[in-house]
Amino acid sequence: MQDFFETDIYNYILTPIIYIALAYIAYKLITNIINHALRAKSSLNKNKKRIDTIRSIIKNIIKYIIIIVTLLLILGLYHVDVNKIFAGLGIGVAIFSLAFQDIAKDFLAGMAILLDDQFDIGDNVSINGFRGDVVAIGLRTVRIKDYKGAVLIIANHSITEVINYSLNPSLAIIDLPVSYDSDLNKVEEVINNTIDVINKTYDHLKGKVELWGIEEMGDSALMYRVVVKTTSTKDFEIERKMKKEFTIAFEKAKIKIPYPQVEVHHE
């Protein structure tokens, strides 16, 4: 009786634990092999983000396969007829498609994201109005982290609008206000001199900084527009640095930077 009890403990409790432990080890071993193989490939391939995305998808597929196989093995321990499960797979698929249609949609949408090359891990995107960096792409969800650290976890089938800011160079644009009383020739000379400094010293530029001229004649200022193409998503950083650069240059040249004001006329 004691031997029978010990056998039951081994078969029904310890063996499933062993199966789960072996499944975990197998998952870690396979994913390490994949990581090593793709890491070697990524060193030779300049599209590293694409390889990271493929790695994420493959690891998700392997995870679900191992979970299903382990579950079937454990069910066999409890004398569940796995053959009948497969025999009834046709009915099961119909039930699955009704009960888990959102999961199926997520899977298909995840594959579409990969095959259509909509975005990769590391890309800066706006999805359904939320902008951030893609940190993970799975078979069911995509995770995006914004600059504040907030993470959006969205189901793949719910992604209806994608703007990818990483596909092409970004455009940094700044408008420089100067007073109507300013000597415009002097203003343009200072701007062009500052542009020369920026072109020689700034990183992440994808071309020369350009002075487009007067963009707007505002209520209290003339607006000069300066633009430059930058590395993807570096436009905001470059804009902030350029604003500081031009402000210092204007102060040294005694060029007045006006502020909004209202003129009141008395009869």
Side-chain angles (χ1 to χ4, degrees):
M1 186 67 165
Q2 184 177 356
D3 291 341
F4 179 77
F5 183 70
E6 290 177 353
T7 302
D8 280 350
I9 291 178
Y10 180 80
N11 288 336
Y12 298 136
I13 298 178
L14 296 181
T15 304
I17 293 174
I18 293 172
Y19 282 169
I20 293 171
L22 290 174
Y24 178 78
I25 293 171
Y27 173 74
K28 285 295 184 182
L29 180 62
I30 294 171
T31 53
N32 283 338
I33 293 172
I34 292 171
N35 286 336
H36 180 74
L38 291 180
R39 190 179 298 115
K41 186 175 180 181
S42 66
S43 63
L44 302 174
N45 193 323
K46 56 185 177 181
N47 195 354
K48 182 178 180 300
K49 293 190 294 184
R50 183 70 173 166
I51 293 175
D52 289 341
T53 303
I54 293 172
R55 180 192 292 117
S56 177
I57 295 294
I58 292 175
K59 288 170 70 174
N60 272 277
I61 292 174
I62 290 171
K63 178 177 71 175
Y64 287 115
I65 290 175
I66 290 177
I67 289 173
I68 292 171
V69 171
T70 305
L71 182 61
L72 291 175
L73 290 174
I74 292 174
L75 289 175
L77 287 176
Y78 292 102
H79 306 295
V80 176
D81 194 341
V82 178
N83 292 327
K84 288 184 178 179
I85 293 176
F86 283 108
L89 192 60
I91 299 174
V93 168
I95 295 173
F96 179 87
S97 63
L98 293 174
F100 301 98
Q101 54 183 324
D102 283 347
I103 295 178
K105 290 178 182 177
D106 289 335
F107 177 81
L108 294 174
M111 295 305 296
I113 289 170
L114 179 64
L115 295 175
D116 294 344
D117 196 15
Q118 296 178 19
F119 50 83
D120 293 322
I121 292 174
D123 281 358
N124 186 267
V125 300
S126 174
I127 293 182
N128 295 3
F130 185 93
R131 181 170 179 177
D133 295 328
V134 180
V135 295
I137 300 176
L139 293 179
R140 295 194 56 235
T141 61
V142 168
R143 294 172 182 255
I144 314 167
K145 183 171 71 173
D146 69 8
Y147 72 98
K148 294 181 179 179
V151 176
L152 172 69
I153 305 172
I154 183 169
N156 290 337
H157 80 275
S158 298
I159 298 174
T160 57
E161 180 182 284
V162 178
I163 301 173
N164 193 331
Y165 296 97
S166 297
L167 294 180
N168 298 301
S170 301
L171 188 65
I173 303 173
I174 63 170
D175 290 327
L176 303 171
V178 298
S179 170
Y180 277 97
D181 298 331
S182 300
D183 181 345
L184 299 188
N185 291 326
K186 179 182 178 182
V187 169
E188 292 177 8
E189 181 183 355
V190 171
I191 292 175
N192 285 320
N193 289 338
T194 307
I195 284 174
D196 289 339
V197 173
I198 292 172
N199 283 330
K200 294 175 182 177
T201 58
Y202 278 35
D203 296 325
H204 305 298
L205 301 185
K206 289 294 185 179
K208 297 294 185 180
V209 181
E210 299 178 7
L211 170 60
W212 281 7
I214 296 175
E215 178 69 18
E216 180 184 352
M217 301 176 69
D219 293 335
S220 58
L222 293 170
M223 291 290 183
Y224 276 91
R225 174 155 292 185
V226 176
V227 302
V228 62
K229 288 185 178 180
T230 72
T231 304
S232 296
T233 72
K234 291 294 184 179
D235 49 322
F236 295 128
E237 176 185 336
I238 297 299
E239 286 175 3
R240 288 190 289 269
K241 291 175 66 177
M242 288 173 62
K243 287 175 182 176
K244 180 180 179 180
E245 200 87 45
F246 281 110
T247 300
I248 293 172
F250 281 4
E251 288 177 353
K252 288 181 178 179
K254 306 298 183 182
I255 296 173
K256 184 179 179 183
I257 301 175
Y259 51 87
Q261 50 189 304
V262 178
E263 290 189 9
V264 180
H265 297 277
H266 295 279
E267 294 182 0

